[in-house]
Every structure is written in structure tokens, then in C-alpha cells.
Amino acid sequence: INGVEASALAPHRIAGLGVGYCPEERGIYASLTTEECLMLPSRLGALGVSLEEIYDMFPNLAERRRSQGSRLSGGEQQMLALARILRTGAPLLLLDEISEGLAPVIVQKLAEVVTVLKRRGYTIVLVEQNSRFAAPLADRLLVVEHGRVAFEVAQNELANKQSLLQQFLSV
């Protein structure tokens, strides 16, 4: 990461290199309020998003700012998990299955936010089984099968390689 070998580093050292991780299981502190969770990140880097910007991006969180994490819906918890890493200012975001199990309206909102983040200069690695969600967002798609890249396609090639992509993604 920026010339530093990070594979053997402790997670807090990797975060210190500017990596924000949004885990599949969300990692919400159930006893803290939404706003308390958003105030936890220790630094606001150059890309750090202010609390007001977070509330503009995620109006649901503004409405639920005083609610405990345990009282948020799954979609609100996912928004909070993403918002929390945006507060750090990390320029590299690792997003793990952020659309899993969420209502379509929440998935659409997350897609809008990811699009905005791309425009702002974030580098985003999105691990996602929902190809309908991921494909329009990606500059490059990699299909991983048994731990190896089985197929790779650039966004501008997607239309021409749709049938091949479907072969890999069909169940």
C-alpha cells in the first residue's frame, strides 16, 4: 500500500496506511448511539467526511442519530458501518458484501454513495456477490472462483462480454 508491504502487518497498522474496512458483519457497537459511533474514528484525513456530510449522504442516520446501534435496521447499520470508515479519511475502502440482505431501496442508496465516493477520488475494492449491484459501479470486474481469478472484464467491455459473465455467475 503506497509502497509498503502490508500483508504481514497488524490490522491497526494497515488502517494507519489509509485503508478503511467495512466488514460484512458491520461491527456496530450496540450500546452506542449512531452519533457516538460516528465520533469514534480517531482521525479525519484529507478525504475525511464531516458529520454534516454524513447526514446529507445518509438522511436515515441523521434521523436516528440518538438511537442505539442495536435499534437500527440492517440497512441503517450498513449505512453506519460505511459512514464510520468515511469519517477516518482513508483513501482506500474495502467494502465486503455491503448489499447483502438489504432492501432494494437501501441497496440503491448505497450504490449512489459509492458512485459519489468514486468521483471524490476514493479507491474502492468492492467484494460483492450481487453482480447487478456491483457491475454498474465497477471500473473493472473480477470473478473469483475457488480463490483464483476466473474472469476479468473492464467496464467498457461489459456489454460485449455479458454472456460470458453470465456463464460464470449462473448457479
Side-chain angles (χ1 to χ4, degrees):
I1 301 168
N2 293 325
V4 175
E5 174 55 48
S7 61
L9 293 178
H12 71 281
R13 299 266 185 237
I14 294 171
L17 294 173
V19 178
Y21 175 53
C22 187
E24 180 178 358
E25 61 279 355
R26 300 177 186 132
I28 300 301
Y29 295 100
S31 63
L32 298 180
T33 67
T34 296
E35 193 154 282
E36 289 169 337
C37 285
L38 291 171
M39 299 307 288
L40 283 176
S42 60
R43 67 181 177 91
L44 288 174
L47 291 174
V49 179
S50 72
L51 203 52
E52 286 310 309
E53 287 177 288
I54 292 293
Y55 290 150
D56 285 344
M57 269 185 217
F58 300 112
N60 294 43
L61 296 183
E63 294 170 12
R64 305 293 307 269
R65 72 179 71 200
R66 304 218 190 311
S67 297
Q68 287 183 302
S70 60
R71 299 201 181 257
L72 301 177
S73 71
E76 290 166 338
Q77 288 183 9
Q78 188 62 68
M79 290 178 202
L80 179 55
L82 180 54
R84 188 178 56 214
I85 66 168
L86 293 177
R87 295 274 294 151
T88 69
L92 171 58
L93 306 179
L94 306 178
L95 309 180
D96 188 7
E97 298 285 353
I98 64 169
S99 76
E100 185 177 9
L102 301 181
V105 67
I106 301 295
V107 172
Q108 179 59 40
K109 181 62 178 171
L110 291 171
E112 291 169 13
V113 169
V114 168
T115 300
V116 167
L117 297 175
K118 281 179 58 179
R119 279 192 221 121
R120 288 187 180 183
Y122 287 86
T123 298
I124 301 169
V125 176
L126 176 64
V127 176
E128 186 64 57
Q129 290 186 42
N130 181 349
S131 63
R132 290 182 184 184
F133 168 70
L137 301 173
D139 295 325
R140 187 168 53 127
L141 292 93
L142 302 171
V143 176
V144 177
E145 190 173 60
H146 305 294
R148 298 194 182 275
V149 175
F151 180 71
E152 181 176 349
V153 62
Q155 181 60 250
N156 63 351
E157 303 170 322
L158 190 57
N160 294 335
K161 296 193 176 181
Q162 199 59 240
S163 62
L164 186 57
L165 185 61
Q166 288 306 316
Q167 276 182 309
F168 279 101
L169 298 178
S170 64
V171 180

